[in-house]
Amino acid sequence: LKQTVLNKISVVEDLDSLNQIRIETLGKKGPITEVLRGMKDLTAQERPQVGAFANEIRDVLQTAVEERKRVIEDKVLTAKLSAETIDVTLPGNQIAKGNAHVIQQIIEQLEDQFMGMGYQIAEGPEVEEDRYNFEMMNLPKDHPARDMQDTFYITDEILMRTQTSPMQARMMEKHDFSKGALKMISPGRVYRRDTDDATHSHQFHQVEGLVIDKNITMADLKGTLLKMAQELFGEKHQIRLRPSYFPFTEPSVEVDVSWDEVTDKTQPEDIKWIEVLGAGMVHPNVLAMAGVDPEIYGGFAFGLGPDRFAMLKYGVDDIRNFYLNDVRFLAQFD
Ligand code: PHE
């Protein structure tokens, strides 16, 4: 019996069959239990011998069952592990990753550039007071130039800012000029009551620039803008200043960037100029209204449109693309 059962145990491959063998041989109705139960019919001499023999067989078989059980469990586990193995060399699933909006990229590039020149970044409210947006920019209530910027009014005194220029006044008011120059750029959204079309959007962006100190001249303005244009469009691009009018600057200029690179051989008449921003020397009235003495201090200001920069840089012909949130368009600039 012992050997037959041991043989059976050694080949059994699953836990259920093993359990079956255990019940059949070692269980209550099994032969060993039967022998032990039949002890009472034996003589006193026979009893210890038979008992010891039966117990020994029982122990051997029990141990064999236990061992086989461990072996089978081991096999099952190994099989399970190898079936579930992760192949770490397989390429993973590509996770779509977002990126900054193309306008934001241009703004951040400008911020980096101007921070490198010691400018501070000053962001301001999009819902602005008429006082800052217009009056302190030398545009009193009845000024005809207010028509240049069709405005979303919220109340008589509160409006959606039409330009980032109000940040000039806000920053000049706060600045302690005894501690040195004020150099800032102010990026942000602006709003105008325009009908949207390929070149107009009722919401767009501006980056304001302002430098106020003693002895600032138009040459400083030109040098700053040339450097900015060349960093953005490339070393070989040139800028051109044309006389213009803004109520808050005098003199005022409009600034063009050359569409192509300009070399020694380029004929002036061959250069294609693209208007990119407005600028000028800060008007004495603007300084005075912000509490800065125009007899001592002066400086330049400029206002540029990142939307327009992006259109030029990437050849986008419809400004509305920037505001439709169509990822197929936006993902091109990732
Ligand atoms: N704020 C002006 C505009 O929106 C641009 C500008 C800013 C011009 C600063 C000169 C100086 O038209």
Side-chain angles (χ1 to χ4, degrees):
L1 172 79
K2 179 173 137 195
Q3 203 48 53
T4 328
V5 177
L6 282 178
N7 287 345
K8 272 201 209 162
I9 289 174
S10 69
V11 296
V12 77
E13 286 291 349
D14 65 289
L15 292 175
D16 282 348
S17 316
L18 182 67
N19 200 34
Q20 202 55 45
I21 296 170
R22 187 185 61 79
I23 291 167
E24 274 166 17
T25 48
L26 299 166
K28 281 193 193 102
K29 287 173 188 148
I32 296 180
T33 316
E34 208 173 296
V35 169
L36 291 171
R37 216 181 271 138
M39 297 263 279
K40 59 182 184 314
D41 302 329
L42 299 176
T43 65
Q45 288 145 308
E46 285 171 325
R47 244 177 246 166
Q49 283 170 13
V50 174
F53 184 61
N55 278 335
E56 189 208 313
I57 294 180
R58 191 192 55 194
D59 289 349
V60 168
L61 293 180
Q62 238 158 23
T63 316
V65 168
E66 299 282 300
E67 258 165 29
R68 187 67 195 162
K69 190 176 170 206
R70 227 171 293 129
V71 171
I72 294 173
E73 279 175 348
D74 239 33
K75 275 192 186 167
V76 169
L77 183 64
T78 314
K80 194 173 170 206
L81 282 178
S82 72
E84 289 174 2
T85 297
I86 295 166
D87 181 353
V88 289
T89 64
L90 279 176
N93 291 337
Q94 203 71 41
I95 297 171
K97 105 179 186 318
N99 204 354
H101 191 283
V102 54
I103 304 284
Q104 189 59 28
Q105 290 178 34
I106 300 248
I107 289 176
E108 281 170 16
Q109 199 180 338
L110 287 165
E111 286 180 349
D112 282 351
Q113 220 174 298
F114 279 97
M115 276 193 286
M117 296 192 277
Y119 286 57
Q120 59 172 310
I121 316 285
E123 288 188 36
E126 291 171 26
V127 178
E128 182 56 284
E129 296 174 39
D130 184 286
R131 187 163 64 104
Y132 284 112
N133 193 82
F134 286 132
E135 271 174 64
M136 292 181 75
M137 287 293 109
N138 204 26
L139 276 147
K141 282 259 154 63
D142 52 2
H143 198 292
R146 281 201 181 207
D147 296 346
M148 287 162 73
Q149 304 183 0
D150 260 330
T151 309
F152 287 116
Y153 278 96
I154 292 172
T155 69
D156 278 355
E157 297 301 329
I158 308 284
L159 45 75
M160 300 306 290
R161 67 175 177 192
T162 59
Q163 50 185 356
T164 43
S165 301
M167 284 310 288
Q168 291 186 29
R170 284 181 175 274
M171 293 302 285
M172 277 191 269
E173 270 184 345
K174 280 202 300 196
H175 189 74
D176 179 356
F177 285 91
S178 70
K179 299 220 168 86
L182 169 61
K183 295 164 82 178
M184 62 139 217
I185 62 167
S186 178
R189 271 186 280 272
V190 300
Y191 302 83
R192 292 195 194 171
R193 216 151 45 77
D194 277 327
T195 306
D196 291 358
D197 62 25
T199 53
H200 295 84
S201 168
H202 63 282
Q203 173 209 300
F204 56 104
H205 295 78
Q206 279 191 348
V207 176
E208 194 78 11
L210 178 72
V211 173
I212 304 288
D213 201 358
K214 295 171 183 162
N215 308 317
I216 301 283
T217 72
M218 200 123 182
D220 299 313
L221 171 63
K222 188 171 180 191
T224 305
L225 295 179
L226 178 62
K227 184 158 168 49
M228 177 187 71
Q230 290 184 334
E231 287 214 23
L232 220 56
F233 295 102
E235 283 291 321
K236 302 230 165 64
H237 289 254
Q238 282 297 328
I239 63 166
R240 173 177 81 169
L241 308 190
R242 282 179 293 111
S244 184
Y245 170 77
F246 297 103
F248 27 86
T249 46
E250 181 58 36
S252 301
V253 289
E254 253 156 291
V255 182
D256 303 335
V257 173
S258 65
W259 180 249
D260 299 303
E261 298 189 343
V262 177
T263 66
D264 296 345
K265 288 175 205 88
T266 311
Q267 297 302 308
E269 62 271 22
D270 291 338
I271 302 174
K272 185 177 163 203
W273 294 105
I274 310 285
E275 184 193 325
V276 291
L277 60 90
M281 303 309 289
V282 179
H283 197 290
N285 289 353
V286 172
L287 293 168
M289 276 187 277
V292 180
D293 186 349
E295 297 293 332
I296 305 174
Y297 295 101
F300 62 76
F302 58 87
L304 61 88
D307 304 72
R308 199 166 158 72
F309 272 31
M311 290 172 83
L312 290 175
K313 191 168 174 180
Y314 298 113
V316 175
D317 59 9
D318 194 326
I319 192 174
R320 289 170 294 192
N321 283 322
F322 296 131
Y323 299 100
L324 292 175
N325 287 337
D326 184 339
V327 260
R328 289 168 303 178
F329 171 77
L330 295 175
Q332 298 177 85
F333 309 102
D334 282 0

